Amino acid sequence: MKAFLAFLRNTWRGLTAMRTALTLLFLLALGAMPGALLPQRSLNAQKVAEYIAENGWWGRFLDRLQFYDVYASYWFSAVYVLLFVSLVGCLLPRTWDYYKQMRAKPVLTPRNLSRLPHHATAELAASPEAVMASAKARLKGWRLVEREEADGARSVSAERGYLRETGNLVFHFSLLGLLVAFALGKMVGYEGQVIVQSKGGQFCNSGVFNFDSFRPGLRVDGTQLSPFCVRVNDFHATYLHNGQAQSFRADIDYQSGEDLETGTWRPYPLEVNSPLRTAGDRVYLLGHGYTPIFTVKFPNGETRTGTTQWRPVNEVTLASEGATKFDPPGITDTEQRRKNQLAITGLLAPTAGFRGELLDSVFPEARDPAVAIDVYRGDLGTDSGRGQSIFSIDEKQVQDGKLTKVARQNLRQGEELELDDGTVIKFEGVKDWVSLQVSHDPTQVWVLAFSVLVILGLGVSLSVKRRRVWVRAVPAADGRTVVEVGGLARTDQAGYGEEFGSLARDLLEKEK
Amino acid sequence: MPVNETLSTYSDWTYGAAVSVYFVAAVFYLCEAAFGRTKARELVGAAKVAGTAEDGTWTPGLVVRHERSRAEKLGRMGVALTVLGALLQLSSLVLRGFATERAPWGNMYEYGSLLTFAAVATWLVLMRTFPVRKLGGFVLVPVVILMFLGGTVLYAEAAPVQPALQSYWLVVHVSVISVSSGILLVPGVTSVLYLLKSSGRARFAKLPDADVLDRVAYRSTVFSFPLFTIGIICGAIWAEAAWGRFWGWDPKETVAFVCWVVYAAYLHARATAGWRGRPAAWINALGFALNVFNLFFINLVTTGLHSYAGVG
Ligand code: HEM
């Protein structure tokens, strides 16, 4: 009775645990979905803003519920933490059971073998002892135990496929390990992006401010970045006729470790799919674009060259927009200086195609670069305290009349334009820039290791079958022996039939 | 990297031929299913085999033999046509590979072809073990639909692929994912049939035993799930090299994750009292629906990094 109650309690516990886990699995799946359907801040903050603006209260409501940061939201975290706890809660007892099972003997032979899903019987001339001996020989590789029963009967119970449970535990524990490593990576990792000009532009991973954007893990304050430097010498891209990119390569030099002290640069061809791995970090080639080169000859005779990167607005033709800004030289009075700042904005086409006066780009390669520019003069607003974008001018300054358009013209490479005050602007051509990403995630090798274990565990636990077979030899009246074989697959029955068939045939027919 | 136009044209032809042949085969199967006699062939369950040691038939199998009916002949022709169609489709894939000198699964059209080929091949293998031949039509109909969409809406000229895809991980990740997704079409279909059969309505009485359907679904899922897992992990390894992080909740990654969790739930449901049978079958069908959703909707509607659709 007591045993029965314990059995009930255990079964109940097992069932609830499994059900909870199932429910949580569903919640996890359900909770992850909005992240694929709604724009996410971590992927594209601008899209999120647009979406909220378009959807009014509904958009704001979703924001309140963290639907644009699904994977960092409280509810998503709650589900996976619960799943984690539930997983631990069911793995511990299972591990203990596993340990006990590995030491236990195969279970007693059931009284009535004919009730098992697999069963066969025959009468043989051999003695029970001989039957047992041949059964044991045939069941090599099985864990087995021979027992004597009443009335001179003997039986063997054998079991095989313990690896299934081993695989299963490996799988589940590796899953835990993977989750932990993943979470740790999110804590101590960082990711930063930076645009570097070709033909000698440099970047050093020495501080957060060297990046254009930086995303630190929760425990990263930005003071302990892995030290290395990168110099971009050249950039090559090849395209198909239709403008589809075929290859990108940035020829870079890098320094890390001792090289930083000795000043040695080492070359590396940085390509998509082949990041530079150095100092424990990775450097990726994320994208590229063009920098128009403008020289401005000011009325006082001084010249300045502007090389500010413009950003592509068309991913296929690489038509780009931007703003190249100049401070007038030789003016010390801030008030005066502010009235005479210059900005060149507009469109840059790496390969120009004109429709009348309208410039557009027809190909992503810089074959025949041209710009369609507006030139502004006045106060750029750099001292206004408002955040300034390097890709555009401050529209507010234009509205306030502090910045006025003084020219608008198309320029091909080498062409010039003269402003009313005698300033000459020349479009010299373009050079490439590349956008690089630096990533730091010291735990990702652990994630990989656990993933491999997950696969191995899964493969074993799904392919190995836990199965049992029993052989009983009962002396019959005429000196012969009745041999019964019974089999039971503990998991999926399919496929056991054949193995059992051949086993039973060997045991029952050999001595006929 | 020039494209061999002749080979790519032959590839298109064999693709078209494969779709047509599958279509005819599907019609044959459906005729068999519609006009064949109920329970014409009987599966002898493993348990009943026991005790027949004397006559030596140990493996479970078909024992009731009878004259082949006309419906059955149609079914057999359906099988022959399916094999022919599969060979044609295989040639189409191989030809495209030679035409472009790369692995022939670089855009949605190609990926879809590999996927449906895997589904058909799986079905051919399963038919040898399970008495499910007359269900062939139910597998081939979605295959024909997918291939038709692939060959029209999603069709992409043979061409080299963009830089992000020029990696041997393309070969591994995409092939493993599409083959495993293709295999998962089979349990998806059989789970739906299971749900019909177990609804108990007379209309579905001709379908094979619910138990057989359940086993077909389980076997193929269990075979494919580890593959799918490997595919996702290879994807993560590739993403680490191509996109700067191994996991970033890109829409495609997210839905693959959700699919994975759903199939894990299926395997658990099958081992949980109260969830076996119909609930498990629902879960499996849901898994496949999500997989198709991932293939079409996510590629075409959302903008993620998985931009290999090659359309639009
Ligand atoms: C409390 C949490 C969990 C419990 C109680 C649990 C329990 C089990 C059990 C009992 C099995 C063996 C099923 C069988 O006999 O075939 C199993 C297998 C498996 N589990 Fe879990 N598990 C849990 C969490 C998870 C999670 C979170 C995942 C993945 C998302 C997962 C994936 C799997 C897979 C793929 C199998 C193989 C299925 C099979 O052997 O048929 N499990 N789990």
Side-chain angles (χ1 to χ4, degrees), chain A residues 18-19 22 25-26 29 32 43 47 71 117 119-120 244-246 273 277 282 284 439 441 444 455 458 492 495 498 505, chain B residues 47 50 58-59 160-164 166-167 218-219 229 238 240-242 244 246 249 254 261 265 268 272-273 283 303:
Chain A
M18 208 46 177
R19 286 212 175 121
L22 258 173
L25 274 176
F26 272 114
L43 299 175
K47 258 203 182 155
Y71 310 105
H119 172 250
Q244 183 194 324
Q246 203 179 6
N273 274 322
R277 293 171 193 275
R282 291 113 53 201
Y284 294 89
S439 305
D441 181 355
Q444 70 169 8
I455 294 174
L458 191 61
D492 175 36
E498 269 170 52
R505 190 163 46 234
Chain B
W58 281 97
T59 42
V161 289
Q162 62 187 76
Q166 290 160 19
S167 156
Y218 179 69
R219 281 283 199 99
T229 313
W238 186 11
E240 194 270 344
F246 64 87
W249 298 108
T254 304
V261 171
H268 281 87
T272 309
I283 300 173
T303 46

Side-chain angles (χ1 to χ4, degrees), chain A residues 18 21 86-87 90 94 164 168 171-172 175, chain B residues 225 260 268:
Chain A
M18 208 46 177
S86 153
L87 192 53
C90 61
R94 272 188 83 176
R164 181 187 183 93
N168 204 299
F171 169 81
H172 284 90
L175 212 57
Chain B
F225 184 66
W260 190 82
H268 281 87

Side-chain angles (χ1 to χ4, degrees), chain A residues 94-319:
Chain A
R94 272 188 83 176
T95 314
W96 176 240
D97 282 350
Y98 173 73
Y99 171 77
K100 282 194 298 194
Q101 272 181 19
M102 291 310 269
R103 318 188 65 193
K105 295 204 170 95
V107 295
L108 280 180
T109 312
R111 178 107 25 101
N112 190 350
L113 287 180
S114 63
R115 287 164 99 179
L116 294 171
H118 301 274
H119 172 250
T121 181
E123 221 179 87
L124 304 180
S127 69
E129 287 74 19
V131 171
M132 285 296 106
S134 74
K136 283 195 285 191
R138 176 63 178 78
L139 290 171
K140 229 169 115 203
W142 292 61
R143 178 179 304 181
L144 52 81
V145 56
E146 185 182 346
R147 294 191 176 89
E148 277 188 40
E149 300 181 351
D151 308 331
R154 285 166 166 274
S155 76
V156 169
S157 29
E159 182 156 358
R160 181 162 213 187
Y162 290 85
L163 260 185
R164 181 187 183 93
E165 185 66 5
T166 315
N168 204 299
L169 288 174
V170 167
F171 169 81
H172 284 90
F173 274 112
S174 310
L175 212 57
L176 281 183
L178 195 155
L179 277 174
V180 172
F182 185 83
L184 274 180
K186 290 276 165 251
M187 305 282 271
V188 301
Y190 59 79
E191 213 174 76
Q193 276 122 17
V194 59
I195 285 180
V196 185
Q197 306 263 6
S198 168
K199 311 281 180 218
Q202 276 195 27
F203 162 80
C204 282
N205 195 37
S206 49
V208 175
F209 294 110
N210 295 0
F211 287 100
D212 298 332
S213 69
F214 189 76
R215 192 155 50 185
L218 294 171
R219 321 246 15 191
V220 175
D221 57 10
T223 55
Q224 304 261 306
L225 306 189
S226 327
F228 65 88
C229 290
V230 169
R231 181 171 71 196
V232 179
N233 299 324
D234 212 346
F235 176 81
H236 303 277
T238 56
Y239 300 92
L240 299 176
H241 293 301
N242 62 2
Q244 183 194 324
Q246 203 179 6
S247 72
F248 296 128
R249 189 183 81 239
D251 290 321
I252 62 168
D253 290 335
Y254 70 99
Q255 304 187 309
S256 74
E258 282 180 9
D259 290 350
L260 284 169
E261 270 126 65
T262 61
T264 318
W265 288 97
R266 292 175 197 277
Y268 186 83
L270 187 64
E271 289 179 277
V272 180
N273 274 322
S274 103
L276 165 70
R277 293 171 193 275
T278 187
D281 283 12
R282 291 113 53 201
V283 182
Y284 294 89
L285 176 60
L286 278 197
H288 83 115
Y290 292 105
T291 300
I293 306 168
F294 292 105
T295 48
V296 178
K297 195 161 171 203
F298 288 90
N300 67 357
E302 287 196 58
T303 55
R304 289 279 184 277
T305 303
T307 52
T308 306
Q309 65 267 23
W310 285 20
R311 70 176 161 203
V313 286
N314 182 323
E315 293 298 329
V316 179
T317 65
L318 289 187

